Amino acid sequence: MGSAPASRDVTSYGMGLAAPLALFFLVFFVAPLLQLLWLSLHNDTAALHWGLGQYLHFLTDPFSLSVLGSTLLLGAEVTAVCLVLGFPIACLYQRVGPKLQTIIILIVLLPLLTSVVVRTFAWIVILGRQGIINATLQSLGMIDTPIKLLYTQFGVVIALAQVQMPLMTLPLITALGRIDPNLDDASCSLGAGSWRTFFRVVLPLSLPGVIAGCTLTYAAAITAFITQSLIGGGQMLFMPMYLYQQASTLQNWPFASAISIIFLLAVLAVGSVFTTLGRLSRGYGGAS
């Protein structure tokens, strides 16, 4: 009988299998990004004179900085709303039976199966002057005239929170599912109340899920061009629409490219903060 063939080293498959993905990444991500960077380093719209004028224009323009600040603030508000509303849903998922878990996960996933455009137009109907909210409040006699909900910061935050909610809830469900349920009983048996058990046991152990959910939600919220544009209308300006106006309407591609690079760096800076917090939370997650 011949000897059994020697098993092949798994590391020998790596580079060859990764080549198509690496090529796709280089062609459709790295190359356009380098082209944006090249274009942003020109001072004129014809891209003939090199310089940092576009970056200086953005960084010294109070209007541009206010748009960047309002966009980053919008992402923080949406992330906070998703976290406050998503955490109870994730906790409820862990405490109910399999049938109710199926219903909850179906409710969480359903928005992902629906187009963002459809969901955004649904919010226009809900938040409009003759929408469901205003009609209900008027029928109850709580208001005399319709409240302006559409084309407001409040409307944009609520609509974005609903659109991005699955990105927060799913990591939280995964993180809470890894926590040993006996820890709750142990904490209570040692005299800790429900809230103290939550803040001293459940919340620290779920931090990896919280960080992952916040990162995904924040990145998706600040780049949600359709929802920001339709719900915000022309009365609020955020970075995606600002970039679109400069590129498509004004044909100022060098300045639009500089806006893209600055926006990318700002998002990376926020992402680095979340990543740092995630690394610090690994000790808590590993304890589960």
Side-chain angles (χ1 to χ4, degrees), residues 207-208 210-216 218-219 266-283:
L207 278 181
V210 173
I211 298 299
C214 289
T215 304
L216 294 173
Y218 189 87
V267 174
L268 289 177
V270 176
S272 299
V273 173
F274 283 128
T275 302
T276 302
L277 293 176
R279 288 174 179 172
L280 295 176
S281 67
R282 284 180 182 174

Side-chain angles (χ1 to χ4, degrees), residues 66-105:
S66 68
V67 174
L68 176 61
S70 61
T71 305
L72 298 178
L73 177 62
L74 175 68
E77 292 174 345
V78 173
T79 302
V81 172
C82 288
L83 181 60
V84 171
L85 298 180
F87 213 105
I89 297 174
C91 290
L92 179 64
Y93 177 87
Q94 301 299 335
R95 294 178 184 276
V96 298
K99 291 184 179 179
L100 287 178
Q101 282 185 340
T102 303
I103 295 175
I104 292 174
I105 203 68

Side-chain angles (χ1 to χ4, degrees), residues 127-129 134 145-152 154-155 235:
L127 298 175
R129 291 181 63 84
N134 276 317
T145 57
I147 303 173
K148 185 179 181 181
L149 300 173
L150 198 60
Y151 309 136
T152 63
F154 174 79
Q235 302 182 26

Side-chain angles (χ1 to χ4, degrees), residues 36 57 61 94 120 123 125 130 138 146 151 179 184 189 195 226 241-242 248 251-253 257 259 265 276:
L36 273 180
H57 178 201
D61 181 20
Q94 301 299 335
T120 302
W123 274 105
V125 175
Q130 305 301 324
Q138 284 183 304
Y151 309 136
I179 300 177
D184 284 357
S189 66
W195 286 108
I226 294 175
M241 176 56 76
Y242 189 38
S248 297
Q251 296 291 309
N252 191 353
W253 284 93
S257 301
I259 293 175
L265 293 177
T276 302

Side-chain angles (χ1 to χ4, degrees), residues 140 191 223 244 269 271:
L140 295 175
T223 56
Y244 174 80

Side-chain angles (χ1 to χ4, degrees), residues 84-274:
V84 171
L85 298 180
F87 213 105
I89 297 174
C91 290
L92 179 64
Y93 177 87
Q94 301 299 335
R95 294 178 184 276
V96 298
K99 291 184 179 179
L100 287 178
Q101 282 185 340
T102 303
I103 295 175
I104 292 174
I105 203 68
L106 182 63
I107 293 174
V108 172
L109 292 178
L110 268 180
L112 296 179
L113 306 177
T114 309
S115 169
V116 174
V117 178
V118 174
R119 281 184 283 166
T120 302
F121 274 107
W123 274 105
I124 292 177
V125 175
I126 293 172
L127 298 175
R129 291 181 63 84
Q130 305 301 324
I132 298 173
I133 296 178
N134 276 317
T136 302
L137 294 176
Q138 284 183 304
S139 64
L140 295 175
M142 299 178 66
I143 57 175
D144 296 327
T145 57
I147 303 173
K148 185 179 181 181
L149 300 173
L150 198 60
Y151 309 136
T152 63
Q153 181 87 3
F154 174 79
V156 175
V157 171
I158 294 300
L160 278 175
Q162 189 274 329
V163 170
Q164 313 300 345
M165 184 64 75
L167 300 179
M168 176 66 77
T169 308
L170 293 176
L172 288 176
I173 288 176
T174 302
L176 291 177
R178 293 175 179 173
I179 300 177
D180 188 347
N182 293 323
L183 291 176
D184 284 357
D185 298 331
S187 177
C188 293
S189 66
L190 292 175
S194 300
W195 286 108
R196 191 172 184 182
T197 299
F198 173 78
F199 285 109
R200 300 296 296 271
V201 178
V202 177
L203 186 58
L205 292 177
S206 64
L207 278 181
V210 173
I211 298 299
C214 289
T215 304
L216 294 173
T217 305
Y218 189 87
I222 61 175
T223 56
F225 174 76
I226 294 175
T227 305
Q228 292 177 8
S229 304
L230 294 180
I231 302 297
Q235 302 182 26
M236 284 177 291
L237 185 62
F238 299 103
M239 286 296 282
M241 176 56 76
Y242 189 38
L243 198 158
Y244 174 80
Q245 290 178 349
Q246 295 295 326
S248 297
T249 305
L250 302 178
Q251 296 291 309
N252 191 353
W253 284 93
F255 188 53
S257 301
I259 293 175
S260 302
I261 298 297
I262 291 173
F263 190 34
L264 176 62
L265 293 177
V267 174
L268 289 177
V270 176
S272 299
V273 173
F274 283 128

